[in-house]
Amino acid sequence: MRLVAVAVPVPFLDLLTYNVPDRLELPAIGARVRVPLGSRTLTGCVIEHGASIDAGTDAKDIVEVLDHEAFLPATVVALARWVAEYYVAGVGDAIAVAMPPGAARRASSYKTQRIVSITAHGLGSDPSDEGTQGAESPRHRGLTPKQSQAIEALAAAPAGLPMSALRERGITADVVSRLVKHGLATIRDEADERDPFERSALATVAADPDRQLTPEQVAALDALSARADAAEFRVALLHGVTGSGKTEIYLRLADRVCRTGRQVLLMVPEIALTPSVAALFRAAFGTRVAIQHSALSDGERHDQWQRIRRGDIDIVVGTRSAVFAPLPRVGLIIVDEEHDTSYKQEESPRYHGRDVAIVRGSLEGALVVLGSATPSLESFQNAAIGKYDLVSLERRVLDRPMAAVRIVNMRDEYATEGPDVVISRELVTAIEERLTREEQVLVLLNRRGYSTAVFCRQCGDSFECPNCSVSLTVHRARNGWKARCHYCNYSTDVPKSCRKCAAPYLEQTGFGTEKVEQHLRDRFPSARIGRVDRDSVRRKGALTSLLSKFAAGELDVLVGTQMIAKGHDFPRVTLVGVISADVGLGLADFRAGERTFQLLTQVAGRAGRGERKGEAIVQTLYPEHYSIQLACQQDYAAFFEREFAYRKGMRYPPLVALINIVVRGKSLGDAMHAGAEVVRRLDGVIAHAGMMTLGPAPAPLGRLRGEHRVQVFIKGTRRAEMRQAVKAVLAEMPELRRKVTVDVDPLSVL
Ligand code: ADP
Ligand code: ZN
């Protein structure tokens, strides 16, 4: 028998062993194959050949080999295997992330394009005619070579391919219409938004190759260039204060590496929120750069994937999943804003894009550059112990000063102005000044909605989500007030009187971005004000349009959540107001202090990036908290020291490794019972010091989408053994697999 191990995109499944019948060639590692699984036939990916596979004699035959060569490059296959192993996920889940886009997406329309997709009949996996089919798919019978070729291409793209992509392969509309007639394919017209960077004012920025670098930039670029030239695996942390010109360094380093015939991967937290970086790369490298952003249709992404795979692309700019881009010879990986939490995927496989990038760097022998003004504790610690090189930029370009930060103690403000104050007198005055001088203002509040709670003044009943243990957030809708759950999207009208005691004394408390926007409009009626949060940018293109309007000076004030704090470069912003610096501090999460520090430092860093001096005003109830104090002083080193000591005292990462296991149940009792069983078995496996289990305990978010949640933690220094213990316990309790979420190196433990 010729055995191969195949990953299929089915949750929780490990590698499956199949036999390659004599009539088929032996597929390459990374090639796609059609394999039977239960009553279905699925497309999987070959991960391993012969030798080390446990030779089950009952291995079923592969039905078909779809690729003559590797579809996924070997390093990407290896990377996906590492992800599955390290994050305790199914290898099929991990391979699915590395494959070109599958899921169909709805988009609003600028123009439409014709999408052709294969039918179940065309795939040969229609359950209704299963029995008659046997193992062999009938779909190539009686088809012309062109038709078969089209079917093959379509089978690889479950969401369909644009007609233009098929035409590129020499498949005409005529061929397609015959397939449709046979019931093997269907055609639909899909909305397709044009590249937002082509419409956006932000695309007008141009890289200036003749620009004189500052001495600090020169030194940093020299250090990194030497590393890149060595063409071997190394990680460097580029720690540069906001406005120190990191992007310029990325551009020149990327250019240098491309010239040696190797490719560059630039990872950003979110394309739309880091437009300056993406647009600069597009401007500098033109069509040699592929930008993977959410406005691309699946068809376009698929085409881009093929171009990358063929080696037609030198630079890929993308978000976390771009770490699996099929670039053949990667020489440089840049992870911009490496501390950003959006690098972590919060569904299986729960990987961290930065950490996977480092593993990819080691597989490729590439230089990995992690850039940030506020590095994660993990990365800075690695630099401190010499595992990473540390390259620093301590000053802003052209000796522009950092923004001066003023703290407003809101306790004093409430005492004199009453409890309903949202915008302090100091902040009002400062905004007024900017409006008169025609400068711009950013106002941050990391909480969306109008009010954050509703309660009855008579009986004290509060308005909670029926499915989750959180209070509902009030939003202003066209036809009145709506209360919405930010976790499960449950939504209801806000009644006039209490549901419990019928008293008409319902009161709204707390405030979010919508109320701040309202207060600003009331206070500054002639100012042009925009709001950026997940609610205001739901419509496709809305975010890019708001940001470019602000960049073009068509708005004076932009209110928003952390979305406005990221890497934007708006030179006319001279004031940043933080409405409540305390939003994240109350969370029962050991990273709360770090998040607050990062957010405040980043948002203060948005002020004074142009010629005029910048200022930030931070409103808080805890002016003495170290995260707030040190962010205002923009003192990363002091913050690191303080936070590190706290993590050490509490035995939290990065001093130990952490695995979080969430067990869900119909009742709290069920979940606790199952959690206790997990702990009992874990304790049976990990019997030595250096590792410990904690829990089960109800999670801070005790109920979510109707299920109760309890947590179990494993802390320790021996990661591999910790993972093995979890795997062993899950293998013993297969009935639990669907009720348990394993999060290795969790970023949030709510
Ligand atoms: P960071 O990412 O470190 O916050 P940026 O790369 O966005 O900083 O640079 C901040 C601003 O300084 C940008 O407007 C950029 O165009 C400008 N800049 C960068 N390098 C130089 C330089 N050597 N001379 C003048 N301006 C520069
Ligand atoms: Zn809910």
Side-chain angles (χ1 to χ4, degrees):
M1 291 184 106
R2 295 186 297 168
L3 296 179
V4 290
V6 176
V8 289
V10 175
F12 310 124
L13 264 195
D14 242 323
L15 288 179
L16 301 175
T17 303
Y18 288 93
N19 176 50
V20 184
D22 293 337
R23 69 186 164 81
L24 297 178
E25 59 175 321
L26 184 70
I29 287 177
R32 291 165 308 157
V33 289
R34 303 274 304 162
V35 293
L37 183 70
S39 61
R40 293 180 294 172
T41 304
L42 296 169
T43 301
C45 182
V46 177
I47 300 300
E48 205 176 306
H49 283 158
S52 63
I53 299 171
D54 193 11
T57 40
D58 54 348
K60 288 193 187 157
D61 281 358
I62 280 180
V63 177
E64 193 188 347
V65 177
L66 296 181
D67 306 300
H68 300 294
E69 303 164 353
F71 181 75
L72 293 179
T75 42
V76 174
V77 172
L79 195 65
R81 288 193 82 167
W82 180 88
V83 165
E85 160 69 24
Y86 186 88
Y87 292 102
V88 192
V91 66
D93 281 347
I95 282 286
V97 188
M99 287 283 187
R105 218 173 278 248
R106 303 241 166 275
S108 70
S109 58
Y110 279 93
K111 59 175 185 184
T112 61
Q113 62 175 351
R114 189 138 276 210
I115 303 285
V116 184
S117 44
I118 196 161
T119 61
H121 185 47
L123 272 173
S125 64
D126 188 347
S128 62
D129 57 25
E130 202 62 58
T132 60
Q133 238 173 259
E136 202 173 336
S137 158
R139 61 175 204 251
H140 291 298
R141 256 178 250 146
L143 296 182
T144 66
K146 274 284 175 228
Q147 288 171 339
S148 309
Q149 192 198 334
I151 285 287
E152 237 163 69
L154 292 172
L161 286 177
M163 192 57 224
S164 56
L166 289 170
R167 231 176 282 120
E168 256 183 36
R169 293 164 214 216
I171 296 159
T172 61
D174 198 30
V175 173
V176 171
S177 70
R178 266 165 221 280
L179 290 179
V180 173
K181 216 182 267 165
H182 291 315
L184 298 174
T186 56
I187 295 182
R188 68 177 190 277
D189 283 327
E190 191 174 88
D192 169 32
E193 190 177 17
R194 273 172 299 170
D195 188 339
F197 291 96
E198 276 154 28
R199 284 182 291 113
S200 149
L202 300 164
T204 57
V205 287
D208 173 5
D210 303 324
R211 178 188 257 168
Q212 193 84 37
L213 292 186
T214 66
E216 259 196 342
Q217 281 175 316
V218 170
L221 183 61
D222 284 351
L224 293 171
S225 298
R227 285 296 181 192
D229 293 349
E232 56 189 29
F233 170 57
R234 189 71 201 166
V235 183
L237 175 62
L238 178 60
H239 178 206
V241 300
T242 54
S244 57
K246 294 185 285 292
T247 315
E248 194 70 42
I249 293 176
Y250 300 156
L251 280 168
R252 300 196 188 203
L253 197 59
D255 187 45
R256 190 178 179 105
V257 169
C258 287
R259 283 171 199 279
T260 67
R262 300 182 84 188
Q263 296 113 15
V264 176
L265 180 59
L266 168 64
M267 293 173 60
V268 295
E270 214 171 316
I271 302 269
L273 294 175
T274 35
S276 53
V277 183
L280 276 170
F281 270 76
R282 167 66 57 86
F285 297 100
T287 55
R288 288 156 59 210
V289 50
I291 297 182
Q292 305 194 322
H293 52 79
S294 56
L296 291 183
S297 70
D298 283 344
E300 283 170 315
R301 272 205 221 199
H302 181 96
D303 290 354
Q304 216 173 49
W305 194 92
Q306 298 291 354
R307 285 176 63 212
I308 298 168
R309 180 74 183 95
R310 285 199 303 266
D312 295 349
I313 293 289
D314 287 338
I315 300 176
V316 171
V317 181
T319 48
R320 64 170 178 262
S321 64
V323 77
F324 299 103
L327 289 164
R329 289 187 53 201
V330 176
L332 171 67
I333 305 177
I334 300 166
V335 184
D336 189 29
E337 312 287 0
E338 68 87 27
H339 65 277
D340 198 290
T341 51
S342 48
Y343 283 122
K344 174 86 172 174
Q345 172 148 304
E346 295 292 358
E347 60 188 56
S348 183
R350 296 176 168 262
Y351 67 96
H352 196 299
R354 174 200 61 219
D355 297 337
V356 181
I358 291 169
V359 174
R360 180 146 194 198
S362 78
L363 293 171
E364 306 259 8
L367 171 66
V368 181
V369 176
L370 310 179
S372 178
T374 52
S376 62
L377 256 70
E378 279 78 2
S379 297
F380 201 78
Q381 167 68 357
N382 280 327
I385 60 176
K387 202 168 150 194
Y388 300 168
D389 295 325
L390 181 61
V391 179
S392 304
L393 297 169
E394 286 169 6
R395 271 183 297 275
R396 285 189 159 181
V397 296
L398 308 175
D399 283 322
R400 284 177 193 146
M402 301 299 290
V405 184
R406 271 192 276 163
I407 295 185
V408 175
N409 184 344
M410 287 306 276
R411 271 175 275 174
D412 299 344
E413 195 73 13
Y414 292 145
T416 48
E417 299 294 296
D420 296 327
V421 181
V422 172
I423 307 171
S424 62
R425 289 159 299 171
E426 237 178 301
L427 185 52
V428 166
T429 314
I431 294 174
E432 246 158 22
E433 279 171 26
R434 297 324 188 280
L435 292 173
T436 331
R437 296 208 298 254
E438 299 190 351
E439 295 171 357
Q440 288 179 307
V441 182
L442 287 176
V443 178
L444 172 87
L445 176 62
N446 204 14
R447 193 165 56 198
R448 60 203 170 92
Y450 195 88
S451 353
T452 48
V454 180
F455 75 97
C456 171
R457 261 194 291 151
Q458 180 155 300
C459 74
D461 183 45
S462 70
F463 224 47
E464 295 221 332
C465 175
N467 313 314
C468 311
S469 49
V470 295
S471 66
L472 296 172
T473 302
V474 179
H475 291 263
R476 178 179 266 170
R478 227 175 303 142
N479 46 357
W481 299 99
K482 286 268 180 221
R484 236 177 33 223
C485 173
H486 284 181
Y487 288 90
C488 73
N489 253 339
Y490 169 86
S491 167
T492 182
D493 290 331
V494 180
K496 295 257 180 308
S497 50
C498 177
R499 297 165 305 175
K500 274 235 175 88
C501 74
Y505 306 128
L506 285 183
E507 190 162 322
Q508 297 187 12
T509 58
F511 52 85
T513 42
E514 286 178 31
K515 191 182 274 183
V516 174
E517 182 190 6
Q518 186 58 51
H519 278 234
L520 285 167
R521 287 189 192 285
D522 294 345
R523 192 67 189 67
F524 306 107
S526 59
R528 298 162 303 168
I529 299 171
R531 194 183 94 232
V532 172
D533 56 29
R534 252 195 285 156
D535 302 302
S536 74
V537 303
R538 201 154 279 159
R539 201 168 36 78
K540 200 146 208 160
L543 176 59
T544 326
S545 138
L546 271 166
L547 293 177
S548 29
K549 262 174 125 171
F550 191 65
E554 292 160 26
L555 292 172
D556 305 307
V557 182
L558 202 59
V559 187
T561 54
Q562 41 86 27
M563 288 181 150
I564 63 167
K566 303 213 176 175
H568 308 294
D569 190 27
F570 299 120
R572 260 179 296 182
V573 170
T574 59
L575 173 68
V576 167
V578 179
I579 297 297
S580 168
D582 318 321
V583 171
L585 275 183
L587 296 176
D589 194 316
F590 69 92
R591 293 189 204 267
E594 184 181 7
R595 294 278 161 273
T596 300
F597 176 83
Q598 286 165 345
L599 181 62
L600 294 181
T601 310
Q602 291 288 343
V603 73
R606 298 310 114 208
R609 295 169 70 90
E611 270 139 37
R612 297 189 211 178
K613 208 162 139 336
E615 181 187 35
I617 294 182
V618 175
Q619 304 184 162
T620 172
L621 289 168
Y622 308 100
E624 59 292 329
H625 192 287
Y626 69 95
S627 291
I628 293 173
Q629 281 282 331
L630 296 172
C632 291
Q633 293 159 24
Q634 320 223 6
D635 190 343
Y636 179 84
F639 173 77
F640 177 84
E641 208 164 288
R642 181 79 195 250
E643 184 69 13
F644 196 79
Y646 155 69
R647 302 278 180 93
K648 195 167 179 178
M650 302 293 288
R651 281 181 45 84
Y652 277 130
L655 286 121
V656 296
L658 189 64
I659 297 179
N660 180 14
I661 301 175
V662 173
V663 185
R664 299 182 299 273
K666 282 207 177 62
S667 69
L668 180 61
D670 280 0
M672 284 298 276
H673 185 77
E677 184 61 19
V678 169
V679 170
R680 198 183 63 78
R681 288 175 187 246
L682 279 172
D683 284 340
V685 187
I686 41 182
H688 59 80
M691 257 195 244
M692 64 191 283
T693 52
L694 296 163
L701 197 53
R703 228 155 58 84
L704 188 62
R705 295 181 197 94
E707 287 181 311
H708 290 263
R709 306 165 77 240
V710 307
Q711 286 180 327
V712 172
F713 288 107
I714 310 173
K715 274 184 185 179
T717 45
R718 307 189 204 182
R719 287 163 186 277
E721 285 172 48
M722 290 161 64
R723 278 198 308 272
Q724 289 321 320
V726 175
K727 283 184 190 171
V729 168
L730 289 180
E732 286 171 13
M733 307 172 74
E735 72 288 354
L736 222 61
R737 196 66 188 92
R738 273 163 209 286
K739 288 192 231 158
V740 167
T741 304
V742 179
D743 195 350
V744 177
D745 303 338
L747 275 198
S748 147
V749 293
L750 299 177

